[in-house]
Amino acid sequence: MKNILITGGAGFIGSHVVRHFVHKYPDYKIVNLDALTYAGNLENLTDLESANNYTLVKVDINDEAAVNAVFDKYDITDVIHLAAESHVDRSITDPLIFLRTNILGTANLLNAAKGKWSDFDKHIFYHVSTDEVYGSLGDTGLFEETTPYDPRSPYSASKASSDHLVRAYHHTYGMQIKITNCSNNYGPYQFPEKLIPLIINNIVLEKKLPVYGDGSNVRDWLYVQDHVEAIDLVFHKGTNGETYNIGGNNEKQNLELVHLLCDTVDAQLGRPTGDAKSRIEFVTDRPGHDKRYAIDASKIKAELGWEPLTDVATGLGKTVEWYLANGEWLNRVTSGDYKKYYEVHYG
Ligand code: NAD
Ligand code: TYD
């Protein structure tokens, strides 16, 4: 019997993970622990409200008493930890909340698990992290699991710290842990502060399309459903104490990606080709902007047989389709606080 605590399950990736586990494993009880910050949205999970193996608890991972109470009340056997402050630009303007949630919050969860679990062999603490902990690549090379950590933004530094804490609980106390470091995710339900949904939203609204610097920075794009399949595999079959890199095998320069998005959205909206591209605007670069991220995912392929199935053209096609069909979702999440954020960040 597994009672799995999934943290951050109302966010982008978390909602896909929760949905996958609730449907695929009806014998597991899934408890979604989420503080419902600006990035957490119950609308991402409305289809699960009637599922009898699913519960949501609105709790901050920093709240020691509340987290302990959840472990007790639901007899939590395993954790899949996704809750985090996740946006690099926000970490540049407000670093402290990143340290609180991503470092102290993770420590608080680890401590609650340590207090609750008597036989670590029977329990798993799975930590979802980012490739950004490895720093920035030049034109060549790939991040491997053994690449030394070199985080360069407050966000990546906070995620690196949390990875170290998870490993410390493994080495010091013997907790069974698994860590994955993945590349940039995209797909339905992503909050439109991140590049892909922000550009889609701006194209729809016929606004300028902000590209940082000269648009030559490279990211490796991972379709969220491919990531979810990898999480399922690592959770069930990954080796205790190990780290696995997860990548999309889809490296693109930002400008190239934005061009692809422009063509995809124009085509799906029936607008003339070139319409969206004419609104691309090169804006002031992000401070400390990491040049290139790229993943060597050969370990997870060799050990667990996982590889990404979605190429970026197919994934973007599905993503654009979802955003165009869910304009109401987009309108709701871009009202209120989003407007203020956009005004401050993009002027
Ligand atoms: P997101 O910002 O969309 O969602 C984060 C979720 O965590 C939200 O539901 C939010 O309400 C919740 N949360 C934030 N602070 C909390 C707190 N103090 N207590 C409880 N809940 C809190 O993030 P995402 O893009 O879905 O990322 C999920 C995880 O994956 C994060 O750990 C992130 O670092 C990691 N990751 C994301 C990407 C990516 O491309 N999105 C890539 C690599 C790793
Ligand atoms: P983002 O989606 O914020 O992810 P991350 O910073 O974690 O990689 O950004 C992806 C890339 O797109 C990154 O190189 C920064 C760039 N970018 C823009 O050019 N314009 C934008 O408005 C945003 C949000 C990002």
Side-chain angles (χ1 to χ4, degrees):
M1 184 65 209
K2 284 189 184 299
N3 301 323
I4 305 178
L5 186 74
I6 300 183
T7 70
F12 162 49
I13 303 172
S15 62
H16 290 275
V17 175
V18 165
R19 184 172 291 104
H20 174 90
F21 274 76
V22 166
H23 288 319
K24 187 165 171 197
Y25 301 106
D27 293 343
Y28 295 176
K29 295 249 182 307
I30 304 300
V31 178
N32 173 9
L33 184 151
D34 199 298
L36 300 178
T37 69
Y38 79 91
N41 186 353
L42 288 181
E43 251 190 279
N44 300 356
L45 296 160
T46 35
D47 53 315
L48 295 186
E49 274 160 15
S50 58
N52 55 17
N53 62 336
Y54 171 69
T55 312
L56 172 102
V57 287
K58 183 176 180 300
V59 164
D60 187 324
I61 56 170
N62 286 296
D63 185 337
E64 192 180 340
V67 168
N68 280 322
V70 169
F71 268 80
D72 286 341
K73 177 168 179 191
Y74 297 99
D75 191 20
I76 297 302
T77 58
D78 302 270
V79 173
I80 303 177
H81 176 36
L82 294 111
E85 289 292 336
S86 69
H87 188 39
V88 174
D89 292 323
R90 287 182 190 257
S91 84
I92 293 168
T93 42
D94 186 10
L96 294 189
I97 179 81
F98 283 71
L99 313 192
R100 276 193 291 273
T101 289
N102 299 358
I103 307 176
L104 296 177
T106 300
N108 192 40
L109 279 173
L110 285 163
N111 232 28
K114 179 167 89 62
K116 172 78 184 165
W117 297 339
S118 48
D119 179 356
F120 284 141
D121 288 345
K122 296 199 176 114
H123 307 284
I124 298 165
F125 192 104
Y126 181 143
H127 178 59
V128 174
S129 191
T130 169
D131 60 355
E132 302 188 24
V133 298
Y134 299 121
S136 179
L137 291 165
D139 290 339
T140 58
L142 299 171
F143 294 136
E144 296 170 19
E145 286 81 359
T146 50
T147 302
Y149 275 32
D150 182 24
R152 295 148 48 98
S153 73
Y155 165 66
S156 54
S158 70
K159 292 296 289 187
S161 308
S162 64
D163 294 8
H164 291 318
L165 278 165
V166 175
R167 287 196 191 95
Y169 273 66
H170 173 65
H171 291 293
T172 308
Y173 305 112
M175 186 178 283
Q176 181 173 185
I177 64 109
K178 300 172 185 197
I179 300 179
T180 48
N181 296 85
C182 69
S183 60
N184 289 58
N185 283 226
Y186 69 103
Y189 298 111
Q190 186 168 32
F191 192 80
E193 63 190 354
K194 306 276 172 29
L195 179 68
I196 288 178
L198 184 136
I199 294 292
I200 296 172
N201 187 37
N202 284 16
I203 297 175
V204 171
L205 299 176
E206 298 184 77
K207 287 166 70 171
K208 297 271 190 208
L209 312 179
V211 172
Y212 296 165
D214 62 2
S216 66
N217 299 64
V218 173
R219 296 294 183 263
D220 167 32
W221 295 97
L222 171 65
Y223 192 61
V224 65
Q225 200 53 43
D226 284 337
H227 184 195
V228 169
E229 298 294 341
I231 290 177
D232 183 338
L233 263 181
V234 172
F235 178 75
H236 289 102
K237 303 207 170 112
T239 305
N240 178 14
E242 288 293 310
T243 293
Y244 298 89
N245 283 353
I246 303 173
N249 208 11
N250 276 304
E251 274 187 63
K252 287 270 174 280
Q253 288 198 337
N254 289 340
L255 187 57
E256 196 189 347
L257 183 91
V258 170
H259 281 167
L260 196 55
L261 267 175
C262 287
D263 291 343
T264 309
V265 181
D266 278 347
Q268 290 196 22
L269 285 175
R271 290 181 185 167
T273 310
D275 187 72
K277 273 184 193 149
S278 67
R279 283 189 298 280
I280 290 174
E281 185 178 55
F282 294 94
V283 299
T284 309
D285 209 355
R286 171 188 285 172
H289 195 175
D290 288 340
K291 187 70 188 172
R292 175 171 163 261
Y293 303 143
I295 287 265
D296 176 350
S298 54
K299 177 175 170 180
I300 188 171
K301 184 174 180 193
E303 285 189 22
L304 304 177
W306 178 89
E307 56 187 332
L309 300 177
T310 315
D311 66 70
V312 86
T314 310
L316 283 185
K318 287 203 255 186
T319 304
V320 168
E321 222 173 277
W322 187 87
Y323 278 92
L324 297 186
N326 289 276
E328 281 306 306
W329 181 93
L330 202 50
N331 285 343
R332 275 192 289 274
V333 301
T334 51
S335 61
D337 282 351
Y338 180 83
K339 280 211 173 95
K340 279 185 234 149
Y341 167 79
Y342 199 88
E343 199 50 46
V344 169
H345 191 70
Y346 295 96

